[in-house]
Amino acid sequence: MSKQLVFGHQNPDTDAIVAAMAYSYLQNQLGADTEAVALGTPNDETKYVLDYFKAQAPRVVTTVANEVKEVILVDHNEAQQSVADRKDVQVVAVVDHHRIANFETTNPLYYRAEPVGCTSTIITKLFHENNVAIPQQLAGLMLSAIISDTLLLKSPTTTTDDETAVKELAKIANVDANQYGLDELRAGTNVDSKSAAELIDADAKSFTLAGKNVRVAQINTVDVNDIFKRQPEFETAIKADTAANNYDLFFLMVTNILNSDTEALVIGDPIAPVEAAFKQKLNSQQRLVLPGVVSRKKQVVPQLTEAFEQQ
Amino acid sequence: MSKQLVFGHQNPDTDAIVAAMAYSYLQNQLGADTEAVALGTPNDETKYVLDYFKAQAPRVVTTVANEVKEVILVDHNEAQQSVADRKDVQVVAVVDHHRIANFETTNPLYYRAEPVGCTSTIITKLFHENNVAIPQQLAGLMLSAIISDTLLLKSPTTTTDDETAVKELAKIANVDANQYGLDELRAGTNVDSKSAAELIDADAKSFTLAGKNVRVAQINTVDVNDIFKRQPEFETAIKADTAANNYDLFFLMVTNILNSDTEALVIGDPIAPVEAAFKQKLNSQQRLVLPGVVSRKKQVVPQLTEAFEQQ
């Protein structure tokens, strides 16, 4: 079998990086020849995680067809979130916890998706199903991915499978999940030192909704005013990003990880389906107030999808 | 949790019927409220299987949104092979062994695909993963599905997982897989008593290839001349079916299950990519000779897909 690359989505978060490392390790234990790579450099939270567990970040690639014929996707499936030249390689496996869209293959493949909080939770189960032990360092990384994706098991995406995996991985990694988890999440909320352009691109994904090119970005913080006191800077950055990438609409979630609320800044067109999706008009500052909303995947994208399709 | 319907593809074959019954049984053992239904009546082979193991055929439905909000798909995922009103319900789970295409969801879901010979092989593994015992009758049905899909483990789609499942299921069902399997396959090859219109529709699937509506039907037989001695009748039936359903191209595989060869009758437009896909011109009888070809999924559809996309 020839070598396969394993990678998560663009603008990688902790799960995108760690799930690739974990699944690659598992496949290699089972006899495959794979390498985990990433479609971008680690964000602040992921850097904290890799430092804490003394792990190396995967090599960053921008294309894959120059290296391999076959790839494995983790933590994503939609083409516009994946590697630029994906059409030139064969996707032989996917492990993911998102909706399926903009994904099509010519051949049968291995596809494992579950509606759980984190890809690393599914991979924890795959280690068990294949009777492969999870090494201590990898357990720490996978624990960190679940903490990141579920905001320490508080996101509505959280399932009992995530809770079970966190307990097990924390034990193998020998860390206190709650104490470590808060430190990890805080490490990702250092916004003052970054430009608006950096912040709106750090955790952002594109979606095609009823033909419209919609960008949904998320910034985690411990105080949403740390972002909104700089709103003019953010508006300028969003307009520049929108023009450069032909987005129709930019939806910026600013999420308080301590109280699990979001305020969203919405710029672009059309606004009507956005207001329909969340049953409120944009306020005078072009924002939506979204108490209890923390999950782009479960509390924003499905609502926008439905509203756009009903336009 | 409200009731969910579980079903396989239109024109159900043995796996489409049995995988629905097996997955519904498993889910109900795990606490769900599901019912296996079918998008058509059993074919001759499946009737033989159900009679042999004294099982009832699932209820036939043509729509589902009038009954339930959520459905589970087995043995297929492409919209044009599924229930007519699928867009009006939510697909919460898929268990399949085909390529993924024409499939898109708004929400995360459970998706389990593996590149093995039969959906019932994957479901055998799911019983084990969930520590649920397979009852004797169901084991016989699932064994029959694997025999059907893999032509008694001789199709190139066959994997070691299929072989392992056949051994295990035959033991639980207490049948000799080879002897029973040949009887089962022969039961599906009774072609003389059927009209061409029935035969070209019994195991047929539609594919959208580079915008063209392509129908690929398969007839299993123990002598391809049993079909081709009636070629004018088949051409008339294919032309009528094509006109009624707006197919661009009809590709009829006539497969000898004893020696694992196929001859294909090809009618419609465009012919050039078909000839490119199989590296031969249609002969004077509009047929392709395809030695060793038995699998639509692995030896026909990917080749056609690639050739159509390169036009």
Side-chain angles (χ1 to χ4, degrees):
Chain A
M1 194 163 61
S2 58
K3 183 176 167 182
Q4 300 166 332
L5 294 180
V6 187
F7 50 88
H9 51 78
Q10 296 173 18
N11 297 317
D13 58 8
T14 300
D15 191 35
I17 300 259
V18 165
M21 295 167 74
Y23 196 65
S24 173
Y25 175 86
L26 173 61
Q27 288 304 304
N28 291 350
Q29 290 297 111
L30 296 173
D33 176 16
T34 72
E35 180 190 354
V37 293
L39 302 186
T41 52
N43 63 28
D44 281 352
E45 180 198 274
T46 310
K47 274 185 207 151
Y48 176 88
V49 167
L50 293 169
D51 283 352
Y52 190 95
F53 292 104
K54 300 182 174 50
Q56 290 280 327
R59 180 166 64 93
V60 173
V61 300
T62 52
T63 59
V64 289
N66 50 311
E67 293 190 51
V68 294
K69 289 193 168 62
E70 297 182 339
V71 300
I72 294 171
L73 311 184
V74 294
D75 197 31
H76 76 296
N77 67 84
E78 304 193 36
Q80 75 282 4
Q81 297 167 7
S82 197
V83 74
D85 62 345
R86 194 176 84 177
K87 65 178 187 330
D88 302 324
V89 292
Q90 188 182 353
V91 178
V92 294
V94 178
V95 184
D96 191 19
H97 68 129
H98 296 88
R99 72 169 190 164
I100 298 177
N102 229 325
F103 181 82
E104 184 157 325
T105 65
T106 304
N107 286 286
L109 74 163
Y110 180 89
Y111 200 110
R112 176 80 171 246
E114 298 188 24
V116 296
C118 182
T119 309
S120 291
T121 298
I122 304 169
I123 297 177
T124 303
K125 296 166 77 173
L126 291 175
F127 271 89
H128 296 326
E129 288 169 20
N130 289 286
N131 293 311
V132 175
I134 305 175
Q136 182 173 5
Q137 182 193 53
L138 197 53
L141 299 173
M142 293 164 76
L143 169 70
S144 306
I146 304 175
I147 288 167
S148 169
D149 268 17
T150 65
L151 293 179
L152 238 176
L153 302 176
K154 283 194 299 187
S155 163
T157 57
T158 307
T159 65
T160 53
D161 283 354
D162 301 299
E163 291 163 1
T164 304
V166 159
K167 269 187 210 137
E168 179 199 341
L169 295 168
K171 195 170 168 190
I172 299 173
N174 196 26
V175 298
D176 179 312
N178 281 310
Q179 191 185 317
Y180 166 76
L182 274 178
D183 290 343
E184 175 195 339
L185 291 177
R186 279 212 191 85
T189 63
N190 174 18
V191 297
D192 288 343
S193 64
K194 295 209 185 66
S195 71
E198 288 173 292
L199 287 165
I200 62 166
D201 194 49
D203 178 14
K205 292 180 182 175
S206 298
F207 299 88
T208 306
L209 305 183
K212 296 289 182 184
N213 190 358
V214 179
R215 186 76 162 174
V216 185
Q218 185 168 24
I219 301 173
N220 286 339
T221 173
V222 291
D223 181 352
V224 297
N225 288 320
D226 285 348
I227 298 298
F228 289 123
K229 70 186 179 197
R230 297 159 62 187
Q231 183 162 334
E233 184 195 346
F234 278 89
E235 291 183 11
T236 304
I238 286 172
K239 283 168 187 164
D241 197 29
T242 295
N245 295 286
N246 293 311
Y247 303 136
D248 292 296
L249 186 82
F250 201 109
F251 191 103
L252 175 63
M253 302 170 65
V254 181
T255 301
N256 183 324
I257 59 163
L258 299 181
N259 67 11
S260 302
D261 292 336
T262 287
E263 266 192 74
L265 175 62
V266 185
I267 294 179
D269 201 50
I271 292 296
V274 178
E275 293 179 330
F278 299 102
K279 299 182 179 60
Q280 61 181 282
K281 296 276 175 195
L282 292 191
N283 66 21
S284 59
Q285 294 159 305
Q286 290 189 268
R287 298 186 216 156
L288 299 171
V289 179
L290 304 169
V293 168
V294 297
S295 168
R296 167 172 46 202
K297 182 174 63 169
K298 197 149 183 165
Q299 296 174 299
V300 173
V301 173
Q303 289 73 8
L304 287 176
T305 302
E306 196 177 338
F308 271 77
E309 282 171 0
Q310 285 174 358
Q311 285 289 299
Chain B
M1 193 163 62
S2 58
K3 183 175 166 180
Q4 300 165 333
L5 294 180
V6 187
F7 49 87
H9 51 78
Q10 295 173 16
N11 298 316
D13 58 8
T14 301
D15 192 35
I17 302 259
V18 164
M21 297 168 72
Y23 196 65
S24 174
Y25 175 86
L26 173 61
Q27 288 304 304
N28 291 350
Q29 290 296 111
L30 296 173
D33 176 16
T34 72
E35 180 191 354
V37 293
L39 302 186
T41 52
N43 64 28
D44 282 351
E45 181 198 273
T46 311
K47 274 185 206 151
Y48 175 89
V49 166
L50 293 169
D51 283 351
Y52 190 96
F53 292 105
K54 299 184 174 48
Q56 291 280 325
R59 179 166 66 91
V60 173
V61 300
T62 51
T63 60
V64 290
N66 51 312
E67 295 190 51
V68 294
K69 289 195 169 62
E70 297 181 339
V71 300
I72 293 172
L73 312 184
V74 294
D75 197 30
H76 75 296
N77 67 84
E78 304 193 36
Q80 75 282 1
Q81 297 166 7
S82 196
V83 74
D85 63 345
R86 194 176 84 177
K87 67 182 184 327
D88 302 325
V89 293
Q90 189 182 352
V91 178
V92 294
V94 178
V95 183
D96 191 19
H97 68 129
H98 296 89
R99 70 169 192 167
I100 299 177
N102 229 324
F103 181 82
E104 184 156 325
T105 65
T106 304
N107 287 287
L109 74 163
Y110 180 88
Y111 201 110
R112 176 77 171 248
E114 298 189 23
V116 295
C118 182
T119 309
S120 291
T121 298
I122 304 169
I123 297 176
T124 303
K125 294 166 79 172
L126 291 174
F127 271 88
H128 297 324
E129 288 169 20
N130 289 285
N131 293 311
V132 175
I134 306 175
Q136 183 173 5
Q137 182 192 53
L138 197 53
L141 299 173
M142 293 163 76
L143 169 70
S144 306
I146 305 175
I147 289 167
S148 169
D149 268 16
T150 65
L151 294 179
L152 239 177
L153 303 176
K154 283 195 297 185
S155 162
T157 58
T158 308
T159 65
T160 53
D161 283 355
D162 301 298
E163 291 163 2
T164 304
V166 160
K167 270 189 208 135
E168 180 199 341
L169 295 168
K171 196 171 169 188
I172 300 172
N174 196 25
V175 298
D176 179 312
N178 281 311
Q179 191 184 319
Y180 167 76
L182 274 178
D183 290 343
E184 176 197 340
L185 291 178
R186 279 213 189 84
T189 63
N190 175 16
V191 298
D192 288 343
S193 64
K194 294 210 186 65
S195 71
E198 288 174 289
L199 287 164
I200 62 166
D201 194 50
D203 177 14
K205 294 182 180 173
S206 298
F207 300 88
T208 307
L209 305 183
K212 296 290 181 183
N213 189 359
V214 179
R215 186 76 162 174
V216 185
Q218 184 167 26
I219 301 173
N220 287 339
T221 175
V222 290
D223 182 353
V224 297
N225 287 322
D226 285 348
I227 298 298
F228 288 123
K229 71 188 177 196
R230 297 159 62 188
Q231 183 160 333
E233 184 195 346
F234 277 89
E235 290 183 11
T236 303
I238 286 172
K239 283 170 187 162
D241 196 30
T242 294
N245 295 287
N246 293 312
Y247 303 136
D248 292 296
L249 187 82
F250 202 109
F251 190 102
L252 173 63
M253 300 170 66
V254 181
T255 300
N256 183 325
I257 59 163
L258 299 182
N259 67 11
S260 302
D261 292 336
T262 286
E263 266 191 75
L265 175 63
V266 185
I267 294 178
D269 202 48
I271 291 296
V274 178
E275 293 179 330
F278 299 102
K279 299 183 180 62
Q280 60 181 284
K281 296 279 176 193
L282 292 192
N283 65 22
S284 58
Q285 294 159 306
Q286 291 190 268
R287 299 187 215 154
L288 298 172
V289 179
L290 304 169
V293 169
V294 296
S295 167
R296 168 171 45 203
K297 184 174 62 166
K298 198 149 182 167
Q299 297 173 297
V300 173
V301 173
Q303 288 73 7
L304 287 177
T305 303
E306 196 177 337
F308 271 76
E309 282 171 359
Q310 285 175 357
Q311 283 290 299

